[in-house]
Amino acid sequence: MKKLIIGAFASIIFSSAFAQKSKTEKLPDRKHMKLETEYTTASGLKYMFKQFGKGAEAKVGSNVSVHYIGRLADGKTFDSSRDRNQPITFKLGEGRVIKGWDEGIALMHVGDRAVLTIPPSIGYGSAAQGPIPANSTLFFDVELMGISEPVKPWTLVKHDTISLPSGLKYIVVEKSKDPNSPKAEKGKIVNVHYTGFLKDGKIFDSSVDRGEPISFPLGQGQVIKGWDEGIALMQVGDKMRLVIPYNLAYGDQGVKDVIPPYSTLIFDVELVGIK
């Protein structure tokens, strides 16, 4: 393994003399690209394919699943999904990862393996991030494992809306198939998958997109009031839609650039576990 790592970095260093030239030339399309050949985009991203896959193309807006090993210029690993045996999942092209990732992963197809060399300008810039020093060039061995379509709000037909005195409204979309499944209770850790959107249908956050539910102690004020009240109505396996007025959400402030002030929020939620 050590030999392979050294070889990968030697290839990057060796080809750097040709990188500047490639910036001024039109990059070849995929069918004319070659393995073990480094290409450079206008942003300064360098990428080298190690394997061509035969799967679907990554597109902006799709949910992508990526295995990666991240290293510094000295070869030191600072993060690895391989070590965790769990790829990262995110929506491509929406700024949920560093710019070099959004650009680099968009060049790939499922099954591709590549080395991305990301300069500070499209990495973490002049700010240090944990084990990553300021102004670091980052090297990622990446493999695109899968692609899925972005999540959408559930389509509901002929479901009753129930209103509570607080102003919270909810719709029972699907009851648990097990009538004896655990019920959410104050103080217990609940695991919830959710998709949150505004009244115009615009999604502002989704655990489903990330492939990982949120966990929190119920009734402790760690989430908005509408969530503490709404999730307490559920048992494991239930699916509900919560319609939360602004006074039980983010109030007259909203969340900058994400949720406007006085916004009613709608959440499709599933209670997937309780501890």
Side-chain angles (χ1 to χ4, degrees):
M1 181 61 70
K2 183 179 291 185
K3 184 176 180 181
L4 290 176
I5 293 170
I6 294 171
F9 282 98
S11 297
I12 292 169
I13 295 168
F14 177 80
S15 59
S16 64
F18 303 95
Q20 190 64 37
K21 179 179 178 181
S22 65
K23 289 182 182 179
T24 61
E25 296 180 353
K26 184 179 179 179
L27 294 172
D29 57 30
R30 180 180 175 85
K31 66 181 179 181
H32 293 113
M33 287 183 179
K34 298 178 180 179
L35 296 178
E36 305 292 343
T37 299
E38 188 173 81
Y39 301 95
T40 306
T41 70
S43 69
L45 170 71
K46 300 175 185 177
Y47 63 99
M48 178 194 303
F49 286 104
K50 311 293 285 187
Q51 171 182 294
F52 288 132
K54 298 181 180 180
E57 178 183 4
K59 295 181 179 180
V60 170
S62 293
N63 295 322
V64 294
S65 179
V66 182
H67 257 312
Y68 67 93
I69 300 173
R71 300 185 179 92
L72 301 174
D74 61 4
K76 182 180 179 180
T77 297
F78 58 82
D79 193 16
S80 173
S81 68
R82 298 284 187 187
D83 287 349
R84 296 187 294 274
N85 197 31
Q86 182 176 4
I88 184 175
T89 300
F90 64 97
K91 184 176 285 189
L92 187 62
E94 294 200 347
R96 298 188 181 186
V97 291
I98 57 176
K99 292 179 180 179
W101 260 60
D102 264 341
E103 182 180 0
I105 301 302
L107 299 167
M108 301 179 70
H109 289 229
V110 173
D112 283 357
R113 290 191 294 110
V115 176
L116 304 180
T117 305
I118 300 178
S121 58
I122 52 174
Y124 292 107
S126 59
Q129 293 287 334
I132 302 174
N135 300 307
S136 290
T137 294
L138 307 177
F139 302 86
F140 288 95
D141 296 330
V142 294
E143 181 176 0
L144 184 55
M145 307 299 294
I147 296 174
S148 60
E149 290 302 309
V151 67
K152 296 179 180 179
W154 294 332
T155 300
L156 305 185
V157 180
K158 295 183 180 180
H159 284 75
D160 294 332
T161 300
I162 301 170
S163 299
L164 300 178
S166 66
L168 174 69
K169 298 178 182 179
Y170 70 94
I171 298 170
V172 178
V173 177
E174 182 179 309
K175 285 295 295 179
S176 172
K177 293 180 175 61
D178 179 4
N180 297 314
S181 65
K183 294 182 179 180
E185 297 178 8
K186 184 176 180 179
K188 290 194 173 182
I189 305 296
V190 293
N191 299 325
V192 182
H193 256 316
Y194 69 93
T195 297
F197 52 100
L198 303 176
K199 293 175 74 174
D200 63 3
K202 181 180 179 181
I203 293 174
F204 56 82
D205 192 18
S206 176
S207 68
V208 181
D209 271 349
R210 295 190 295 274
E212 184 176 358
I214 185 175
S215 298
F216 64 95
L218 187 63
Q220 305 298 310
Q222 293 194 14
V223 292
I224 57 176
K225 293 179 180 179
W227 261 58
D228 266 340
E229 183 178 1
I231 302 302
L233 302 170
M234 304 178 72
Q235 63 187 106
V236 173
D238 284 354
K239 295 182 180 180
M240 287 187 179
R241 173 167 288 177
L242 306 179
V243 182
I244 303 177
Y246 76 91
N247 58 300
L248 298 179
Y250 293 100
D252 58 0
Q253 298 298 310
V255 178
K256 185 178 180 181
D257 299 326
V258 179
I259 298 173
Y262 298 102
S263 288
T264 293
L265 305 182
I266 305 170
F267 289 92
D268 289 341
V269 296
E270 178 182 4
L271 183 58
V272 296
I274 295 175
K275 296 179 182 179

